[in-house]
Amino acid sequence: MTDWTDPDALDLSDGETFDSLLDRADTREKGHFFEFFAEGDELAHDPGLRLSHHGSEQWMGQTLNHDPAYWRADTAQERGFEERPVHPDYLLACVMGITVEDLSEKGGYFLGRDDVEFHQPATAGTPLSVTSTVVDTRTSSSRPKYGIVTWETEGRDRETGETLVSYRRTNMIPRREPAATDGGAVGEQDEGGPAMPDTLLSPDGERFGDFQAALDTAREENAAVAYRHERGRTMDDQLVAGLPLSTLNTARQHHNRDEMADSPSGDIVAYGDVTRSIALAHARSDEATYREQRFADERFHDFVTLGDTVYGFTRVLDCDPDAGPERAGAVTFEHVAFNQEQTPVYSGRRTAHIQRHQ
Amino acid sequence: MTDWTDPDALDLSDGETFDSLLDRADTREKGHFFEFFAEGDELAHDPGLRLSHHGSEQWMGQTLNHDPAYWRADTAQERGFEERPVHPDYLLACVMGITVEDLSEKGGYFLGRDDVEFHQPATAGTPLSVTSTVVDTRTSSSRPKYGIVTWETEGRDRETGETLVSYRRTNMIPRREPAATDGGAVGEQDEGGPAMPDTLLSPDGERFGDFQAALDTAREENAAVAYRHERGRTMDDQLVAGLPLSTLNTARQHHNRDEMADSPSGDIVAYGDVTRSIALAHARSDEATYREQRFADERFHDFVTLGDTVYGFTRVLDCDPDAGPERAGAVTFEHVAFNQEQTPVYSGRRTAHIQRHQ
């Protein structure tokens, strides 16, 4: 009887032998199918990550987020941070990345995110602990092979237990068994084209007062405060595969071109938060950001693949002079990322504190 | 009248709506046109950067600059550095990168640099402060859509105010209004082919004495000390888009392929300092470098794009045994970077201290 532990028993360098072995061998699976998730489930995500400056600087550098408060200690102090924090986009990506193995590694599309709240600044050296709760599972009427799951996730400082960031995320998740369909598309509400504003205004400057003045003018003139940003960043390997993996996001659609060749996108697709971070960087480069606050109703409208270039468009929705510290006011924006064919790929509502004129 | 701040007033995920909005919206511009710059202007650059080992090691690693003095503390000490410094190429790129948003983000070509002086070693953790002065502005006779601007830039340690590196840089900068042309080419001096040396010598070893001996022999034999280096590094996304962005260089020609598709190069082009760093790495790999000193008359002759491979060629110009510490002598080289078609893409005069035989 052959001893199959004998190294020479199987010549794995021989193509035929290896092919037949592969066909018969089990695959140790990753991630979970839709059927695994039930409302109320709590998951503590094991993969660990320590927030670092080089991680933050890599994320910020490649997405053009160059706000000096996150690059230099003196500006951080001037901005009221005790210590130079890591960038909120990077923090969010690290927390999301850690959840992917348990929640969405099986594949399926990142449909959207809501109630993103930054509770306190996060600093380099902080080890993260992340937990998620299943808040909703439902069938997808348009895609029988998928179900839709929503989770609430909290990212905490593992040592102090303090919450750093929390949010709700919705993904399409492949089903083990496709469901009977009841027709009708999910999420493609077709409410017919809206009326268009007569004029589009852009603020004169980058301070809170400039956004407020533009909004006041717009109200009188049936106008919208809406404008584009000049920069555009083309998606390359570092952005599509590199950044998700550096935040432990193991979703295959970002790094396995072999598998993605026969997926709807035809190639690896960018991680939604990278596309988002680029559009936000363009917007932030045209404002005097004080601090990030929250995001709502974030949606991903289309795939972004290698070679696509991401631009930014912003509409100002609200100015609240009373929220935030003396030196800043809260502005709520709608930010849209769009590609070289002017196709919207991400949209979200962001509230940030913007510095006033000195 | 519609309230255009109502999030639902505009369905930005609807292609048609979004297209018409984009066509009408202003673009918040970046960078400055040629007309903005006047001789004597002083600019303090706001973007901030803290020199880091991970930034230095990324720059050196990807460009094959493997001199152990910048990777290991023991060799740094042996080389007379108090602490392991960041690499001078990385320091120069960080200082240049920080100036791009104010000086050259509008686009235009990096024509050349002169009087690059390294005043003292720079270490990780040092926050930079960078200022530039406009020293010359003139029209480009060959390209009416551009003007030519020269700045003097100083990169200092923000905490101590000490100057780390200084240089003069010249760029073609797009004009808001094209100038009337007076014909004649700028910068393409056609001095006719030089006589060719009978023989080309290369030094026997990598020490100061070897360069000196080769020069002495060459003088007797109507020869030049000129030789090639074996290595070649192909330009990929990390080098073309990654390295500039990791040093806050926001020039679109390095990362926006959509815009660059209809520029003269037809695609994103490498940042001059990356091409330079690669050719210098090849040269340094064939010498016993003690320390970098200065560069003069650096010029960029042609675009380098994705897929181009950068090789190195060196000519020894002078050996000065009295400059520098006991254990080293100063050698002045002309280094040329060339591509796979043997087209020169960069040239510059470099003076470095080279270790003597023990």
Side-chain angles (χ1 to χ4, degrees):
Chain A
M1 234 238 324
T2 321
D3 164 11
W4 297 111
T5 64
D6 166 6
D8 303 326
L10 279 170
D11 172 6
L12 295 182
S13 65
D14 160 62
E16 252 181 78
T17 311
F18 194 58
D19 268 345
S20 69
L21 266 176
L22 278 186
D23 295 344
R24 291 172 44 211
D26 284 348
T27 296
R28 305 295 302 273
E29 295 220 3
K30 283 285 161 233
H32 302 291
F33 284 106
F34 171 69
E35 290 83 349
F36 170 84
F37 300 104
E39 231 161 283
D41 286 359
E42 294 214 354
L43 302 104
H45 305 293
D46 178 49
L49 182 62
R50 219 170 65 96
L51 296 172
S52 71
H53 278 313
H54 80 257
S56 184
E57 284 171 12
Q58 181 194 28
W59 187 280
M60 291 194 287
Q62 296 310 310
T63 58
L64 288 103
N65 274 283
H66 294 175
D67 180 341
Y70 300 95
W71 291 86
R72 279 202 341 251
D74 63 314
T75 326
Q77 225 142 34
E78 189 272 322
R79 195 69 69 77
F81 291 113
E82 273 155 44
E83 207 192 314
R84 174 163 74 113
V86 294
H87 197 280
D89 290 7
Y90 164 69
L91 167 66
L92 185 58
C94 289
V95 170
M96 282 255 310
I98 284 173
T99 68
V100 168
E101 193 165 315
D102 294 321
L103 303 187
S104 53
E105 177 160 349
K106 199 42 99 192
Y109 307 102
F110 180 7
L111 287 179
R113 192 172 45 204
D114 210 349
D115 305 333
V116 182
E117 197 79 30
F118 294 102
H119 301 265
Q120 53 179 347
T123 51
T126 304
L128 291 178
S129 93
V130 185
T131 54
S132 298
T133 311
V134 180
V135 294
D136 183 45
T137 65
R138 60 190 188 287
T139 55
S140 155
S141 46
S142 64
R143 299 203 181 192
K145 286 200 214 132
Y146 292 86
I148 298 176
V149 186
T150 302
W151 306 272
E152 255 169 33
T153 295
E154 271 207 22
R156 279 183 294 278
D157 177 331
R158 187 177 282 273
E159 282 160 349
T160 66
E162 281 167 330
T163 302
L164 300 170
V165 61
S166 57
Y167 57 87
R168 273 143 56 96
R169 162 159 80 121
T170 303
N171 254 64
M172 289 182 94
I173 299 289
R175 302 174 73 92
R176 194 178 289 280
E177 310 306 332
T181 68
D182 61 5
V186 162
E188 285 118 28
Q189 308 87 343
D190 183 351
E191 293 137 1
M196 289 292 285
D198 297 345
T199 34
L200 300 184
L201 300 176
S202 60
D204 293 338
E206 306 192 342
R207 299 280 166 160
F208 177 76
D210 299 311
F211 292 105
Q212 202 168 30
L215 263 191
D216 295 344
T217 316
R219 281 203 184 92
E220 288 138 24
E221 295 178 9
N222 182 26
V225 184
Y227 46 95
R228 309 171 57 151
H229 306 281
E230 188 172 359
R231 289 176 178 158
R233 166 67 159 122
T234 303
M235 284 289 177
D236 58 26
D237 291 323
Q238 290 172 95
L239 289 173
V240 176
L243 288 186
L245 287 175
S246 59
T247 54
L248 305 191
N249 177 339
T250 52
R252 73 198 66 183
Q253 61 255 46
H254 305 315
H255 61 260
N256 184 335
R257 300 188 75 174
D258 175 44
E259 286 240 352
M260 294 303 286
D262 46 38
S263 75
S265 59
D267 201 344
I268 49 177
V269 294
Y271 171 30
D273 273 1
V274 172
T275 306
R276 165 185 183 272
S277 228
I278 289 171
L280 295 182
H282 300 336
R284 289 164 179 148
S285 76
D286 289 321
E287 71 182 38
T289 328
Y290 180 68
R291 293 225 193 146
E292 296 298 318
Q293 288 304 307
R294 76 183 65 79
F295 291 81
D297 192 18
E298 297 194 281
R299 275 178 287 152
F300 296 89
H301 305 286
D302 210 337
F303 302 125
V304 177
T305 55
L306 285 169
D308 282 342
T309 300
V310 175
Y311 293 93
F313 174 88
T314 293
R315 176 161 65 121
V316 178
L317 302 181
D318 183 57
C319 283
D320 177 354
D322 308 324
E326 249 314 292
R327 53 189 287 192
V331 182
T332 299
F333 303 94
E334 182 180 29
H335 296 300
V336 180
F338 62 95
N339 65 23
Q340 64 280 1
E341 270 112 46
Q342 305 207 163
T343 309
V345 290
Y346 158 84
S347 64
R349 275 207 309 285
R350 163 174 170 257
T351 303
H353 287 164
I354 306 298
Q355 298 175 61
R356 295 179 194 277
H357 289 282
Q358 247 59 23
Chain B
M1 212 175 60
T2 318
D3 166 10
W4 297 110
T5 66
D6 168 5
D8 304 324
L10 284 167
D11 173 8
L12 296 180
S13 64
D14 162 62
E16 248 182 271
T17 310
F18 194 58
D19 264 344
S20 66
L21 269 176
L22 277 187
D23 298 341
R24 291 172 45 209
D26 287 345
T27 297
R28 304 294 303 272
E29 298 222 359
K30 285 287 153 216
H32 302 292
F33 284 105
F34 169 70
E35 291 84 348
F36 170 83
F37 299 105
E39 229 160 287
D41 287 357
E42 294 216 350
L43 299 105
H45 305 293
D46 180 48
L49 188 65
R50 222 169 64 98
L51 296 172
S52 69
H53 278 312
H54 70 257
S56 182
E57 285 169 13
Q58 182 193 29
W59 187 281
M60 292 193 289
Q62 296 309 312
T63 57
L64 291 102
N65 275 285
H66 295 174
D67 180 342
Y70 301 96
W71 292 85
R72 285 205 334 257
D74 63 316
T75 329
Q77 224 136 34
E78 188 274 324
R79 196 72 68 78
F81 291 113
E82 272 155 45
E83 206 191 316
R84 174 163 73 111
V86 296
H87 196 279
D89 291 7
Y90 163 69
L91 167 66
L92 185 57
C94 288
V95 170
M96 281 258 305
I98 284 172
T99 68
V100 166
E101 191 167 315
D102 294 321
L103 303 187
S104 53
E105 177 161 350
K106 202 40 107 193
Y109 307 102
F110 179 8
L111 288 179
R113 194 173 41 204
D114 209 349
D115 305 334
V116 182
E117 195 78 34
F118 294 101
H119 301 264
Q120 53 180 343
T123 51
T126 305
L128 291 179
S129 92
V130 185
T131 54
S132 297
T133 310
V134 180
V135 294
D136 184 44
T137 65
R138 60 193 188 285
T139 55
S140 154
S141 44
S142 63
R143 299 202 181 193
K145 286 201 216 124
Y146 291 86
I148 299 178
V149 187
T150 302
W151 306 271
E152 251 166 34
T153 294
E154 272 208 20
R156 280 183 292 280
D157 174 331
R158 185 175 281 275
E159 280 159 351
T160 66
E162 282 165 333
T163 303
L164 301 169
V165 61
S166 57
Y167 58 86
R168 277 143 60 94
R169 160 161 79 122
T170 302
N171 255 66
M172 288 181 98
I173 299 290
R175 300 175 74 94
R176 195 178 288 279
E177 308 307 329
T181 67
D182 59 7
V186 161
E188 286 119 25
Q189 304 87 343
D190 182 353
E191 296 135 0
M196 284 295 285
D198 301 344
T199 37
L200 298 182
L201 301 174
S202 64
D204 294 338
E206 306 190 342
R207 298 280 167 160
F208 177 77
D210 300 313
F211 291 106
Q212 201 167 31
L215 260 191
D216 295 344
T217 317
R219 281 201 186 93
E220 288 140 25
E221 296 178 9
N222 179 28
V225 183
Y227 47 96
R228 304 171 62 148
H229 307 280
E230 187 173 359
R231 290 178 179 156
R233 165 67 156 114
T234 301
M235 284 288 177
D236 56 23
D237 287 320
Q238 281 186 85
L239 290 173
V240 176
L243 289 186
L245 285 176
S246 56
T247 54
L248 305 191
N249 177 341
T250 53
R252 76 196 63 181
Q253 60 255 47
H254 305 314
H255 63 257
N256 186 334
R257 298 187 76 176
D258 175 43
E259 286 236 355
M260 293 305 286
D262 45 39
S263 75
S265 56
D267 201 343
I268 47 176
V269 294
Y271 172 27
D273 273 359
V274 172
T275 307
R276 166 185 182 272
S277 226
I278 290 171
L280 296 182
H282 301 336
R284 288 163 179 151
S285 74
D286 290 322
E287 71 180 39
T289 328
Y290 180 69
R291 294 230 192 142
E292 296 298 316
Q293 287 305 309
R294 76 183 65 78
F295 291 80
D297 191 20
E298 297 194 280
R299 271 179 285 154
F300 297 89
H301 305 285
D302 207 340
F303 301 126
V304 177
T305 54
L306 286 169
D308 283 340
T309 301
V310 176
Y311 294 93
F313 174 89
T314 292
R315 180 160 64 114
V316 179
L317 304 181
D318 180 57
C319 282
D320 176 356
D322 307 326
E326 248 315 293
R327 53 189 287 190
V331 182
T332 299
F333 304 92
E334 182 186 30
H335 296 299
V336 180
F338 62 94
N339 65 24
Q340 63 281 1
E341 272 113 45
Q342 308 208 161
T343 309
V345 290
Y346 158 84
S347 65
R349 270 204 317 283
R350 164 173 169 258
T351 303
H353 288 165
I354 307 297
Q355 299 177 59
R356 297 179 193 277
H357 290 283
Q358 245 58 28

